[in-house]
């Protein structure tokens, strides 16, 4: 695509500017992983395409997407708070089966989570080809990120269309020697039997599975709602379910294949 020198259109503010190196996966997630020396990549939704790779190859990848102001906006307005939140900056209660996180700022965290998916949708690297949205939707999400506001109209809000759930993935038998907290599983996608079922994108970092349920209709899919209790809501504290990796269908096969690979090392 384009080189870094010269002016190009920033994908967020749409102004012509010198574009910065943008990581699709926030750099703060990557820095933590770098300590373990390896990254985990998922080529597509099939477990056989899952592999461990040395860092710097896929995960070090960046693209020229945003201008300096917009990079700053994402990092100051969304990433700083959200990373601190996930890492236990505020009070965290550990209960059987779930965690209660205090100090939750819904709009900020929601837009942080969605901005990662949004960056994947506008990035051109083949790594992100599974994440595609219509141009109009990319613009709508961009407008919400820029304005720090989820409202689309008097009656509609972005979170009517994208439900985001957060699940804490655990490994109670310690099968996976590379700890779950130090893994990143980039975007995968699962789809219902029917278009009307919607699409679920998922992404894992720091031991949290982010699930993005995208559906054009207003009602959330009942089965999904039943399965994932950790839907982000406008509350000052949120309940995050703890789920052992082997029961999370979306990541079960990936993690199982790591467990097998580790055992056969
Ligand atoms: Zn910009």
């Amino acid at each position: 695509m384009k080189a870094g020198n010269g002016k190009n259109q920033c994908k967020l503010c749409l102004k012509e500017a010198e574009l910065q190196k943008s990581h699709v996966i926030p750099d703060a997630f990557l820095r933590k992983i770098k300590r373990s020396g390896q990254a985990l990549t998922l080529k597509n939704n099939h477990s056989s395409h899952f592999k461990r790779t040395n860092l710097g190859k896929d995960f070090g990848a960046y693209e020229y997407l945003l201008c300096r102001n917009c990079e700053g906006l994402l990092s100051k307005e969304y990433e700083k708070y959200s990373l601190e939140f996930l890492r236990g900056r505020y009070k965290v209660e550990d209960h059987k089966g779930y965690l209660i996180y205090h100090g939750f700022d819904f709009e900020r965290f929601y837009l942080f989570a969605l901005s990662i998916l949004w960056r994947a949708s506008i990035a051109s690297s083949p790594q992100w080809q599974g994440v595609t949205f219509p141009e109009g939707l990319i613009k709508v999400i961009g407008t919400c990120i820029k304005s720090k506001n989820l409202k689309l109209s008097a009656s509609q809000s972005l979170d009517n269309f994208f439900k985001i759930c957060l699940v804490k993935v655990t490994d109670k038998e310690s099968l996976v020697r590379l700890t779950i907290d130090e893994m990143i599983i980039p975007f995968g996608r699962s789809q219902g039997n029917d278009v009307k079922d919607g699409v679920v994108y998922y992404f894992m970092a720091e031991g949290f599975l982010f699930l993005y349920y995208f559906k054009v209709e207003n009602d959330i899919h009942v089965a999904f709602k039943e399965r994932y209790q950790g839907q982000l809501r406008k509350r000052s504290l949120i309940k995050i379910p703890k789920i052992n990796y082997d029961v999370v269908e979306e990541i079960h096969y990936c993690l199982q294949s790591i467990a097998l690979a580790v055992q056969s090392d």
Side-chain angles (χ1 to χ4, degrees), residues 10 12-14 66-67 70:
C10 168
L12 188 56
C13 67
L14 309 178
L66 306 175
C67 71
C70 291

Side-chain angles (χ1 to χ4, degrees), residues 29 45 51 53 59-60 74-75 84 86-87 95 112 125 137 170 173 182 213 246 254:
F29 282 150
N45 291 342
K51 62 173 189 173
T53 57
F59 274 87
L74 288 180
S75 109
E84 286 179 353
L86 288 177
R87 291 173 179 173
H95 297 271
F112 162 73
S125 158
L137 182 59
T170 57
E173 288 160 7
E182 297 209 341
Y213 185 84
D246 59 352
C254 324

Side-chain angles (χ1 to χ4, degrees), residues 85 101-105 233-238:
F85 174 79
Y101 274 63
H102 292 249
F104 186 58
D105 181 335
R233 293 169 198 282
K234 202 175 165 71
R235 309 241 165 98
S236 63
L237 49 87
I238 52 163

Side-chain angles (χ1 to χ4, degrees), residues 23 47 57-58 120 145 150 154 171 182 186 193 215 230 255 264:
H23 287 279
S47 58
K57 206 159 164 264
D58 285 350
I145 293 171
L150 302 181
D171 176 19
E182 297 209 341
N193 298 326
K215 192 158 181 274
L255 296 185
S264 64

